[in-house]
Amino acid sequence: MILKLYSFLFQLIDSSIVSFFRIIFGCFMVYQMIYYYEVDYTFQFMKGPEVLFPYYGLSFLKPLSIGALKAIHFGMFISSILITLGFLYRYAMIFFFLGFSYFTFIDKTLYNNHLYLIALIAFVMIFIEADKKYSLRSKFSKKQLVKVVPAWNQYILIFLISLPYFFGGIAKLSSNWLDTNLTSVIIKQSNGSFLYQLLPETILNNLVTYGGVLFDLSIVFILLNKRTRKVGLLLVVIFSLINGTILFSDIGIFPFFMICSTILFLNSDKVGAFLDVFLVKKATDKKFKNKQERKEFMAKQRLVNQANNTIENKKEGWNNFRRATAFYILVFVVFHLLFPLRYMFLTTNPEWTGIASRFSWRMKMQTRNVTEFNMSLTDTKTSNTYHLDGKSYVTKNQYIHMLEDPFTFIHLSKYISKKLERESGIVNPSIKAKIKVEFNGLPNQYMISPNVDLTKLSESPFEDASWIPPLKK
């Protein structure tokens, strides 16, 4: 068993795929940082909002001065370029991971599954030797770098890319996907409403509903199987383009990043031999008369790579460092297999309650159409009740995502209570909210009990949540 684990994790493979994925990741992050500049992310989403909504247990994360935030942003931009070029790669990746995590997790209304995935990949890549090829380090290093890496470098990235697919499929087995009008609402709100002119509504809804479940649950296994891998690659391209261009307009780079990430599922030796022909062509100064000569060269290159890998494999054994590495990889994998399932112990409906819906890969599992939004404040001393404009305290983006999580209204109410006490002398006011929504096309209903004082409730997901009425279907 131990020998099999050793062979699986530490057999040496060509580093081409891991190195090329570094370039892919870096390029997408350069684009993401430019996008952050365009939307003025540091002000609009971090320093500008009057109130932020911290994650439970992460309330210590606070926005720095606008100058410091812009400096971190610029540092992430430079880090992305360095990651792409493979120069000072590990230092750049550490800085990028810390900065990106800070920008992403400072406010839970900013949560997005693909941002979470980027943070996880950035963390893992700190420990991966992704700069051994196609990098400035490999070009200018005084020592000749061994062009191989332990297999776990590639496997752990495959694992991370697989998480959104597999757990997205598990999420779609819930009644929120299968037993509501969610897919119908998604299609009608998207650029895909024209599809109803091509297919009957019932057939199209069933195609999206059950096709989505089937794709998410099977695509990883299709990509892992050599016989079906080409079909899997085609399916990923089709599925991602439909999501990115027709069904959803708010998922940014995610579908295109996932398309490019499928390179991780390919054979490292074959991809290495292919990429070396083009990316190391100037170094070898090799020219080919025809396709057959290039094919033969690539075959010889694969044999050379495999021989070098075998030699390097014999140099190291099952030492303490590798034992520790295997242990931490096992802990990491087990955690990310179990953590998305925590909702089973905390709530019956993570989308409706907002409990355990984040960090669980439950993507596009809800829509809420607000039919009533009223907040009121009662002065406990005078018993006078006033209308409270809750929307005036938050940004448009915050308001949209607050509707997906009832707990954010507790945080907002406590913030307003403290502000009024400080500015108006109103001590311990009672704040209530009457908010009705159409959840996934279901009948109109309260998402928060209208008679409960929100300032008296706990933001902990582990305490009583009976103030959230059961979902009526």
Side-chain angles (χ1 to χ4, degrees), residues 128-174:
I128 288 177
E129 300 175 278
D131 58 345
K132 285 192 169 183
K133 296 181 77 172
Y134 321 135
S135 65
L136 293 182
R137 179 198 175 197
S138 64
K139 185 174 183 178
F140 296 108
S141 178
K142 295 180 180 179
K143 296 181 180 179
Q144 185 176 2
L145 299 178
V146 180
K147 308 299 185 181
V148 293
V149 294
W152 71 262
N153 282 207
Q154 185 172 334
Y155 295 162
I156 197 69
L157 291 172
I158 292 175
F159 173 74
L160 291 179
I161 293 298
S162 301
L163 290 175
Y165 289 127
F166 184 70
F167 283 106
I170 290 179
K172 288 181 174 65
L173 294 175
S174 74

Side-chain angles (χ1 to χ4, degrees), residues 214-244:
L214 183 62
F215 175 85
D216 281 343
L217 289 177
S218 64
I219 189 59
V220 173
F221 303 102
I222 293 174
L223 289 171
L224 289 173
N225 191 310
K226 293 180 181 179
R227 296 180 180 179
T228 57
R229 187 169 293 152
K230 291 182 180 179
V231 174
L233 295 174
L234 180 61
L235 289 175
V236 168
V237 172
I238 295 173
F239 177 83
S240 299
L241 291 179
I242 290 176
N243 278 344

Side-chain angles (χ1 to χ4, degrees), residues 196-324:
Y196 283 128
Q197 300 175 6
L198 305 177
L199 292 172
E201 182 172 348
T202 302
I203 294 178
L204 182 58
N205 289 341
N206 287 335
L207 184 62
V208 174
T209 299
Y210 297 104
V213 174
L214 183 62
F215 175 85
D216 281 343
L217 289 177
S218 64
I219 189 59
V220 173
F221 303 102
I222 293 174
L223 289 171
L224 289 173
N225 191 310
K226 293 180 181 179
R227 296 180 180 179
T228 57
R229 187 169 293 152
K230 291 182 180 179
V231 174
L233 295 174
L234 180 61
L235 289 175
V236 168
V237 172
I238 295 173
F239 177 83
S240 299
L241 291 179
I242 290 176
N243 278 344
T245 61
I246 298 178
L247 294 181
F248 307 108
S249 59
D250 60 344
I251 53 178
I253 64 173
F254 186 62
F256 306 101
F257 178 72
M258 295 302 280
I259 290 174
C260 294
S261 296
T262 54
I263 190 175
L264 293 167
F265 291 88
L266 303 181
N267 180 277
S268 59
D269 289 325
K270 291 183 179 180
V271 172
F274 177 80
L275 291 176
D276 287 351
V277 171
F278 298 96
L279 298 182
V280 197
K281 186 175 181 180
K282 290 184 179 180
T284 60
D285 209 20
K286 179 72 176 176
K287 296 182 179 180
F288 304 101
K289 297 179 180 179
N290 49 54
K291 292 183 178 180
Q292 182 61 30
E293 185 177 344
R294 188 179 73 178
K295 187 176 180 180
E296 291 175 357
F297 177 82
M298 289 171 61
K300 291 179 181 178
Q301 188 66 36
R302 286 200 298 271
L303 292 175
V304 171
N305 291 342
Q306 290 170 0
N308 290 336
N309 296 353
T310 301
I311 294 172
E312 292 297 326
N313 264 322
K314 294 180 179 179
K315 292 182 179 180
E316 293 192 57
W318 187 239
N319 54 38
N320 290 334
F321 175 77
R322 289 190 166 186
R323 288 190 183 94

